[in-house]
Amino acid sequence: MTIAVIAGHAGGAGSEFALSCDLRFASRERAIFTQMEVGVGLIPGAGAVQHLTRLMGRSRALEVMLSADDYPADLAERYGWINRALPDAELVPFVDALARRIAKFPAGGIADTKRRVNEVALPSRDAVAEDRNVFAALLARPETKARLAALFAGGMQTDSPLEAAFGAAVGQLDPIAGEDAGDA
């Protein structure tokens, strides 16, 4: 059983890591979620397309992925991205108590329930692999490379203001010459 506790920014692969966990709980005051890949010309390539669509439904998943914006914990909770948003002071005690409660139950019941739910709700490995392959192909596009270079120059993957408001930064990127909007 895996439980994610998010008390900061979970964007891109960080969000996808949390989505791969069985349960997700977040700080109401500090957690921010982003799937920003479309803003740089990519698709989420590590499971978010599959997981968010199943968790949120098609329209909300499209909103999240196509907006490439930041989502606070309360909205992420309403959309189904996370199980619950809790006040920061209650987050760890709540998750600790839940984990301890679950740990008291017979392991067979936990394992079999998780297996059956996974069979119903999780995407196939082939579906996730296809998303990864599309992501890799999109990395070769000149407009994607230019957008990523601009974000790295602005502080991407550092402790920077850009990272603190990643969705806003992606939304402020200027169109790159030769960019094609594709089939919108």
Side-chain angles (χ1 to χ4, degrees), residues 13 77 86 126:
E77 177 187 39
L86 295 147
D126 290 343

Side-chain angles (χ1 to χ4, degrees), residues 66 180-184:
L66 295 179
D180 182 5
D183 273 339

Side-chain angles (χ1 to χ4, degrees), residues 19-35:
L19 287 166
S20 73
C21 292
D22 297 316
L23 304 172
R24 291 165 301 287
F25 300 93
S27 164
R28 181 168 282 129
E29 295 87 358
R30 296 188 294 147
I32 302 286
F33 297 85
T34 307
Q35 285 303 147

Side-chain angles (χ1 to χ4, degrees), residues 1-5 22-25 83-84 86 90-105 110:
M1 172 67 88
T2 55
I3 302 174
V5 175
D22 297 316
L23 304 172
R24 291 165 301 287
F25 300 93
N83 293 72
R84 278 191 211 192
L86 295 147
E90 296 173 23
L91 179 62
V92 171
F94 174 86
V95 172
D96 185 60
L98 177 62
R100 290 177 187 282
R101 176 183 173 87
I102 293 169
K104 292 178 183 178
F105 300 150
I110 295 168

Side-chain angles (χ1 to χ4, degrees), residues 2-3 6 11 20 36-37 42 48 53 67 74 86 88 94 104 106 120 122 129 137 142 160 164 166 170 183-184:
T2 55
I3 302 174
I6 301 108
S20 73
M36 51 37 118
E37 292 87 350
L42 298 166
T53 303
S67 74
D74 283 333
L86 295 147
D88 199 53
F94 174 86
K104 292 178 183 178
V120 171
L122 289 183
S160 67
F166 204 88
V170 169
D183 273 339

Side-chain angles (χ1 to χ4, degrees), residues 24-134:
R24 291 165 301 287
F25 300 93
S27 164
R28 181 168 282 129
E29 295 87 358
R30 296 188 294 147
I32 302 286
F33 297 85
T34 307
Q35 285 303 147
M36 51 37 118
E37 292 87 350
V38 169
V40 296
L42 298 166
I43 70 164
V49 171
Q50 304 297 321
H51 292 298
L52 290 176
T53 303
R54 285 171 170 79
L55 291 169
M56 298 178 174
R58 180 180 181 274
S59 296
R60 283 186 171 161
L62 283 170
E63 175 191 344
V64 163
M65 289 181 267
L66 295 179
S67 74
D69 208 351
D70 294 329
Y71 287 77
D74 283 333
L75 186 55
E77 177 187 39
R78 283 196 308 272
Y79 276 24
W81 205 325
I82 59 173
N83 293 72
R84 278 191 211 192
L86 295 147
D88 199 53
E90 296 173 23
L91 179 62
V92 171
F94 174 86
V95 172
D96 185 60
L98 177 62
R100 290 177 187 282
R101 176 183 173 87
I102 293 169
K104 292 178 183 178
F105 300 150
I110 295 168
D112 287 338
T113 299
K114 184 177 168 182
R115 179 182 54 80
R116 287 298 299 136
V117 169
N118 288 349
E119 289 170 0
V120 171
L122 289 183
S124 69
R125 289 180 187 207
D126 290 343
V128 175
E130 176 62 18
D131 291 348
R132 184 182 58 243
N133 293 339
V134 171

